[in-house]
Amino acid sequence: MKYKKLLCLAGAVGLMTASLAGCGKEEKPKDKSPIAETISPIEEAAGSENANQGTPETVETVEPESSGALYPIIENREVVDGKIQSYLTGEWVDESIGTRRPIAVSIPNQKSCFPHYGIGNASVIYQVPLRDNLTRLFCLFEDFDDLDRIGPTRSIRDYMVYIGLEHDAIICHWGSAYYANDLLNSDRVDNISQATQGISVPTAIAFDRYDRPGKNTTDSAYMFVNGLMKGVEQRGYSWDYHDTFSPKFQFAADGVTADYADAPAATKIWPGKEGNYNTVGAYFEYDASTGKYAYSEYGSPLIDERTGEQIKVDNIVLQVCYAEERDDHGYLIMEMHGPVTGDGTMYFFTNGKVVQGTWSRMDGDDKPAKYYDAEGNELVFNQGKTFICEIWDKWASSITYE
């Protein structure tokens, strides 16, 4: 098969001389040298109750003309037999899961930290550049009651915080977050942060080390779910979605496949054959028999230690964003919404197809990025998990698929 190299759409963004935050709101840092990530042990927490899942017997679908969408979509979320359709996957989950805010956890993905624990429970996985040679995972969990821990966990970046705000998530991390501290310490963000330098109100009860023979202490830092629940109560955060919440995804209705039959096929995808995604060897392979994309790094499947299974998703988005290095360490600043550079090129993969289009997030911190085809129609996601790779526009031309 021929490789197709994808070039950025027209409209290059000029280099911004002013300091830019994840959405253009952070003030210029006083010190150009970020504080090294530090970790301190705290009391261990354990265990939680299991959550039951299933599919109700009767489901109402939405007719195409009622929504104006490309395919029939889930339009009205209603409780049926104690279940409701998830904002993150469109699938039926227990009402207690589908009506509570998710958590967003910062998880490292350099080789030394493998394997991850609990990552298979994530409904949405983001991968973001940290530097030219490094990426990090940022995972959205709504179904975490059967997990005792999630991790390892690491520090966050300001643009990752803004991703969490797209989903009205409670944001969790462990490590010094120099460029994100002002945002985390504000009243705009509900966060569960370890007691590291710069965090004004830590929630140390949620974190502890987990013994991993042969691993260093940094790769032994975990968040424990029982401690998380205590920490959320301790901080007085609500599990209810805020009134300003707006769902990010438009999902196909039950029994409907958004097949994008006229779109080109794409069964193997490289988020970047140069730069940070190439450093971690990231790629996806589509299995037509399951309709899922299996994710690999460093030449091997990315495995959840808890289940022993490879991470597989139903939808992939490659979202090209303006970014630049913000200091001599190569730490990035990345624009993920307006008003300046809150839109750009996007590639959407589902059902073995690729749709090239655009993304836009211009309506504020608590509103999500939306994805559109070349004609401006909002894309319909197939029910299931989604993996979103934020792509530094510097490396957009190395996005490749076959």
Side-chain angles (χ1 to χ4, degrees):
M1 295 183 182
K2 285 187 177 180
Y3 287 86
K4 297 182 181 179
K5 285 212 165 182
L6 308 176
L7 301 177
C8 284
L9 294 177
V13 180
L15 185 66
M16 305 292 293
T17 55
S19 176
L20 303 173
C23 71
K25 295 184 181 293
E26 181 179 302
E27 296 180 358
K28 184 177 181 180
K30 297 177 182 177
D31 182 353
K32 297 291 285 184
S33 300
I35 301 165
E37 295 183 6
T38 54
I39 297 174
S40 55
I42 305 296
E43 174 185 344
E44 180 173 355
S48 62
E49 297 179 358
N50 292 330
N52 296 320
Q53 296 190 32
T55 303
E57 296 179 0
T58 57
V59 179
E60 290 188 6
T61 59
V62 179
E63 295 301 322
E65 60 270 20
S66 68
S67 65
L70 294 167
Y71 298 90
I73 61 170
I74 299 169
E75 195 166 29
N76 299 314
R77 297 170 75 246
E78 297 180 351
V79 177
V80 179
D81 299 333
K83 296 183 181 296
I84 195 168
Q85 286 173 288
S86 164
Y87 284 127
L88 297 182
T89 67
E91 297 173 329
W92 290 91
V93 297
D94 285 349
E95 181 184 2
S96 60
I97 292 173
T99 57
R100 78 174 169 196
R101 298 164 63 197
I103 59 172
V105 187
S106 179
I107 297 177
N109 66 317
Q110 59 265 34
K111 212 169 185 178
S112 66
C113 75
F114 290 172
H116 300 107
Y117 188 92
I119 195 173
N121 277 50
S123 297
V124 182
I125 298 176
Y126 285 83
Q127 189 164 185
V128 302
L130 295 190
R131 295 192 289 269
D132 226 359
N133 63 347
L134 187 62
T135 66
R136 185 152 293 173
L137 302 180
F138 194 50
C139 300
L140 275 290
F141 296 85
E142 61 179 350
D143 179 10
F144 50 83
D145 299 278
D146 61 341
L147 299 177
D148 63 331
R149 65 187 186 277
I150 297 172
T153 59
R154 287 293 292 274
S155 68
I156 206 166
R157 300 293 183 268
D158 48 1
Y159 43 92
M160 296 164 70
V161 176
Y162 287 112
I163 289 173
L165 292 176
E166 287 191 80
H167 299 275
D168 198 13
I170 296 173
I171 295 165
C172 311
H173 81 111
W174 180 344
S176 180
Y178 178 78
Y179 290 110
N181 282 340
D182 286 347
L183 185 56
L184 290 168
N185 292 334
S186 74
D187 60 3
R188 299 166 59 195
V189 181
D190 289 351
N191 68 98
I192 300 295
S193 303
Q194 175 58 293
T196 54
Q197 190 167 358
I199 299 297
S200 61
V201 184
T203 314
I205 194 173
F207 303 94
D208 201 354
R209 298 186 196 277
Y210 183 81
D211 185 28
R212 303 181 77 191
K215 300 288 186 181
N216 60 38
T217 54
T218 300
D219 292 332
S220 301
Y222 283 75
M223 185 180 75
F224 287 80
V225 171
N226 191 35
L228 163 74
M229 303 304 287
K230 292 177 181 177
V232 170
E233 182 178 1
Q234 190 179 86
R235 297 296 303 275
Y237 297 148
S238 173
W239 285 107
D240 296 330
Y241 281 96
H242 290 98
D243 293 340
T244 57
F245 172 71
S246 177
K248 180 177 178 69
F249 304 113
Q250 184 172 247
F251 285 109
D254 288 337
V256 174
T257 298
D259 59 10
Y260 297 95
D262 296 331
T267 58
K268 193 163 184 179
I269 304 140
W270 293 263
K273 286 210 162 184
E274 298 178 82
N276 30 47
Y277 282 95
N278 183 59
T279 301
V280 300
Y283 66 92
F284 300 86
E285 289 185 284
Y286 180 70
D287 182 350
S289 67
T290 63
K292 296 184 182 295
Y293 298 84
Y295 180 62
S296 298
E297 289 185 342
Y298 303 101
S300 300
L302 186 65
I303 301 293
D304 180 358
E305 180 182 15
R306 175 174 173 267
T307 64
E309 297 178 357
Q310 185 176 12
I311 299 304
K312 297 180 180 180
V313 299
D314 301 86
N315 310 285
I316 300 168
V317 175
L318 307 185
Q319 181 177 337
V320 179
C321 304
Y322 172 75
E324 63 180 61
E325 293 181 341
R326 72 200 305 173
D327 60 27
D328 294 339
H329 297 266
Y331 282 28
L332 292 181
I333 194 160
M334 196 166 211
E335 286 282 356
M336 292 182 177
H337 69 253
V340 181
T341 53
D343 54 14
T345 307
M346 177 279 317
Y347 303 95
F348 175 59
F349 301 85
T350 195
N351 194 48
K353 302 288 188 174
V354 56
V355 179
Q356 182 175 341
T358 60
W359 66 273
S360 179
R361 186 184 179 193
M362 294 290 196
D363 297 329
D365 295 349
D366 60 352
K367 302 301 179 188
K370 293 286 190 174
Y371 306 107
Y372 305 92
D373 66 15
E375 286 72 45
N377 302 301
E378 184 177 349
L379 292 168
V380 176
F381 285 62
N382 282 303
Q383 291 188 27
K385 298 185 178 185
T386 298
F387 200 120
I388 300 175
C389 296
E390 306 289 355
I391 310 294
W392 185 359
D393 58 355
K394 173 181 178 180
W395 301 116
S397 63
S398 72
I399 295 171
T400 308
Y401 69 84
E402 64 177 25

